[in-house]
Amino acid sequence: MDVEVVQKSPSQEKYGRAQSLIRLLVLVVFLGWIFIWIMAPTNTYKQKWQPRLQAKTSSIFGKQGATLLVYTTPILFIAVLGCVYVHIAQKANGFSMESCSIYGKKREVSIWKRLVLVRGPLGIVSGTELVFLFMFIVLLVWSFSIYLHNGFAKITHKSAAEHGVKVWEKKLGSAATRLGLVGNICLAFLFFPVARGSSVLPLLGLTSERCIKYHIWLGHMTMTLFTAHGICFTIYWAVTDQLSKMLEWKKIGISNVAGELALLAGLFMWIATIPRIRRKVFELFFYTHYLYILFIVFFIFHVGIFHACTMLPGFYLFLVDRYIRFLQSRCQVPLVSVRVLPCETVELNFSKSHGLTFSPTSIMFINVPSISKLQWHPFTITSNSNLEPKMLSVVIKGEGTWSQKLYHMLSTPSAIDHLNVSVEGPYGPASTNYLRYDTLVMVSGGSGITPFISIIRELMYLSTTFRDRTPKVILICAFKNSSYLSMLDLILPNSGTPYDISNMQLQIKAYVTREEEHKLESQIHLQQIWFKPKATDAPISAILGPNNWLWLCAIISSSFIIFLILIGIITRYIIFPIDHNSNKIFSQPLRSFLNMLAICVSIAMAASAAVLWNKRHNDKEAKHIQNLEGSSSAESPKLKIDEAYKELESLPHQSIVQAPKVHYGVRPDLRRLLFDLKGSRVGVFVSGPKKMRQEVAAICSSDLAENLHFESFSFNW
């Protein structure tokens, strides 16, 4: 495969060496962490390594000290390195488009990213994903087999008789315990994909929304193993006449009631994820997922903090992310304007601060308290932070109950004149590199066009600012009826910023599948609605400022240090005087509660301090910018944005978007359209219904499409 060699600048070489060093260090630490999981079921770890570690740490941090050291610390260290890595990536090429254009074509798509599975229960799966899934299953099988072998080796007729049970009954109880231990492995990985602001996922080139399927896989494995764990113990207690143990909540040891409550919470969540239930009753799916709080709390009460520390790192990073999102959601931001489309779609336009930047295809979670105070929904940001430095836009299609209520609220004349919205984000890739492709083919269905609007605007910016040759762009969009064609107007930036796209080749092929001919009555102009500004209105700003990754690094490291200090104080002055490291006197549920409290307090202290400092800094910067603008700041937001629209309307639309040829009553022949493409580097992006994504994936995975590189944009799998 040909690779274009491009000379790098000294600064790029420096950044590249730093990133390579971080990746190497992360790989070494991660392999060591996996090695611990491999060795954990063995007698070597239990009888030699673990006692030595506990002897060195128990006096300060208690019994869980060794588990914190080998399971939690390595992952948090990787997360800290990930923050530094992403910060360097942003400095190198994340938002420095000049460097992106210089060596944008250096990278090639690896053979490991070729699709292997297209249809089936796993969804669309690449070779890399399949290999890692196989390795993870091997780890589970290895752990269960070693646990089972070592457990069964201790069971004899004599040992069974001492407990008043038969050998097979004793083995059933042992197997039930081992199923729970293997389930802990799945639980340890479960929360990594759902930390939206994760610093671990960017190390793998991933984002949270693209890892949803991994969370689903891990969720199914976790609940399968935990359900089997509960069923086996229920059978064991039934055949040995010990059903009364189901009501035990021991002061020392395993608390069965807590485990049953955790399993019930997990089962409710698991049932709500059934595709038919999730699609038809999304609110049920959404609200039942809040049961994860009860699931984790009772899980920790069930197994104790010592065993719970094995799954702590992923959940700890999730808690950090969740608390930062909570702080951001407390500040409501006003809508500046809305564009209402005839296809029951609205474009929400927010004011944003200059320091808030984001990559194309980034998403933002939105909550409208007047509709629902609990529901948060993700939407792709269609605006570009370079072309539109003061504006952030998202497009919402009125499909579900929540979005339909929002559409009717905004489309009704004079219904409201001010609307406050809570937001979380933006979240997106740390950097993008669309210039590595010769041609970009974007296949969309319905509102799936929204991520491609952000990509096209990014290419507009590159073409205007750096006069760089951008890839040829072919947009293939399929709509149900002609009213959806109005979404093509959203491709134009929502500002009057001048741009030159003479170097940009953009071709649009539109298909209206449910109409045989063009309907004039469906062509309705976009309706623009303005909202009255208030003196207290504040724009959307970065919750942790422009150096958000360095601040996240500080929050993770400082909060964990605070947690260790708190645990050291609790162990030395509360637990040790009573228990003396015997682990047989001090209440295990109370110990677990104190540890959970210490985790929450440490994260709240570190994150709140960081957010408060950045809020004050943002306020000072906003006042400084307002003073510099002088008299222009006295103009109303409506007037300034209205002038921007007048500038935009004066630009020739034909020079921006070639007049698309609209095909009525047919679906796009994707196989023919994609196979006809020439060139060695053709990026094929798809966003739309599941069947469309699978069809495009099947075409790109065929032997005749070696030049097609597939990428899917979706909030589900």
Side-chain angles (χ1 to χ4, degrees), residues 58 132 168 186 223 235 282 313 350-351 417 464 541 562:
S58 60
F132 276 98
W168 74 267
C186 298
M223 288 311 304
I235 296 173
F282 179 80
F350 301 91
S351 174
D417 59 4
T464 302
S541 58
I562 294 172

Side-chain angles (χ1 to χ4, degrees), residues 58 235 272 274 355 360 619 693 715-716:
S58 60
I235 296 173
I274 296 173
D619 292 341
R693 300 198 307 270
F715 294 118
N716 56 61

Side-chain angles (χ1 to χ4, degrees), residues 265-280:
L267 287 174
F268 278 121
M269 286 190 289
W270 198 20
I271 292 171
T273 62
I274 296 173
R276 182 172 296 181
I277 296 177
R278 180 168 53 86
R279 285 193 301 266
K280 293 187 176 182

Side-chain angles (χ1 to χ4, degrees), residues 252-547:
I252 304 296
I254 300 297
S255 301
N256 295 331
V257 173
E260 291 151 12
L261 292 174
L263 182 58
L264 283 175
L267 287 174
F268 278 121
M269 286 190 289
W270 198 20
I271 292 171
T273 62
I274 296 173
R276 182 172 296 181
I277 296 177
R278 180 168 53 86
R279 285 193 301 266
K280 293 187 176 182
V281 196
F282 179 80
E283 286 78 7
L284 177 64
F285 163 79
F286 182 86
Y287 290 125
T288 53
H289 256 60
Y290 280 105
L291 291 173
Y292 79 88
I293 301 172
L294 296 179
F295 175 79
I296 292 297
V297 169
F298 284 115
F299 170 82
I300 295 175
F301 280 137
H302 173 57
V303 301
I305 193 63
F306 171 71
H307 291 291
C309 283
T310 59
M311 53 72 63
L312 180 61
F315 188 66
Y316 189 94
L317 294 175
F318 171 78
L319 281 181
V320 171
D321 176 73
R322 187 66 189 88
Y323 185 70
I324 293 174
R325 290 193 283 120
F326 168 77
L327 293 178
Q328 185 184 16
S329 66
R330 295 306 91 193
C331 302
Q332 293 188 348
V333 295
L335 271 176
V336 174
S337 66
V338 171
R339 287 203 285 182
V340 181
L341 280 65
C343 54
E344 293 191 354
T345 301
V346 292
E347 181 191 56
L348 309 184
N349 299 311
F350 301 91
S351 174
K352 81 172 188 68
S353 63
H354 286 271
L356 178 62
T357 55
F358 44 85
S359 301
T361 71
S362 292
I363 65 170
M364 188 168 68
F365 285 76
I366 292 179
N367 168 265
V368 181
S370 58
I371 296 177
S372 172
K373 294 184 178 180
L374 294 178
Q375 286 193 42
W376 290 82
H377 296 269
F379 299 99
T380 304
I381 299 174
T382 54
S383 56
N384 183 274
S385 57
N386 295 302
L387 280 178
E388 302 149 288
K390 295 183 179 181
M391 187 70 65
L392 186 150
S393 304
V394 297
V395 175
I396 300 176
K397 175 72 178 72
E399 293 179 331
T401 304
W402 183 89
S403 55
Q404 285 179 349
K405 288 180 180 178
L406 179 64
Y407 175 78
H408 291 306
M409 177 191 298
L410 297 175
S411 61
T412 303
S414 303
I416 53 175
D417 59 4
H418 192 86
L419 182 64
N420 282 326
V421 178
S422 298
V423 300
E424 293 180 359
Y427 306 104
S431 61
T432 56
N433 199 359
Y434 302 117
L435 298 184
R436 58 180 163 174
Y437 298 111
D438 298 320
T439 304
L440 279 177
V441 182
M442 305 175 186
V443 183
S444 69
S447 59
I449 194 176
T450 52
F452 302 147
I453 294 175
S454 65
I455 296 176
I456 293 174
R457 291 187 185 181
E458 177 75 358
L459 296 177
M460 285 182 182
Y461 170 73
L462 291 175
S463 177
T464 302
T465 307
F466 302 109
R467 303 290 178 180
D468 199 52
R469 188 184 67 83
T470 56
K472 178 182 179 182
V473 178
I474 301 175
L475 177 61
I476 304 172
C477 42
F479 301 119
K480 292 180 180 179
N481 53 65
S482 55
S483 65
Y484 282 84
L485 294 173
S486 59
M487 297 190 74
L488 296 177
D489 292 335
L490 300 179
I491 292 176
L492 300 173
N494 197 8
S495 74
T497 304
Y499 46 83
D500 176 19
I501 46 90
S502 57
N503 293 330
M504 185 176 175
Q505 304 177 65
L506 175 59
Q507 182 181 358
I508 300 177
K509 299 180 180 180
Y511 294 81
V512 179
T513 59
R514 297 186 182 180
E515 290 181 5
E516 297 296 330
E517 58 183 6
H518 180 58
K519 293 185 178 181
L520 293 176
E521 64 269 19
S522 65
Q523 298 304 305
I524 304 173
H525 293 291
L526 304 185
Q527 179 187 359
Q528 189 79 30
I529 300 174
W530 301 95
F531 293 97
K532 294 181 180 179
K534 293 183 178 180
T536 57
D537 288 349
I540 299 176
S541 58
I543 186 70
L544 294 177
N547 295 318

Side-chain angles (χ1 to χ4, degrees), residues 96-147:
S96 177
M97 296 305 160
E98 184 175 7
S99 63
C100 180
S101 63
I102 289 174
Y103 71 104
K105 292 182 179 178
K106 182 176 86 77
R107 303 177 189 172
E108 283 290 344
V109 180
S110 169
I111 190 174
W112 287 101
K113 293 187 177 180
R114 299 293 294 181
L115 302 179
V116 177
L117 300 177
V118 175
R119 294 179 176 86
L122 296 180
I124 300 173
V125 183
S126 68
T128 305
E129 293 169 333
L130 197 62
V131 168
F132 276 98
L133 177 61
F134 175 75
M135 292 169 62
F136 186 75
I137 293 175
V138 168
L139 174 63
L140 298 182
V141 173
W142 156 265
S143 301
F144 184 66
S145 60
I146 297 300
Y147 276 132

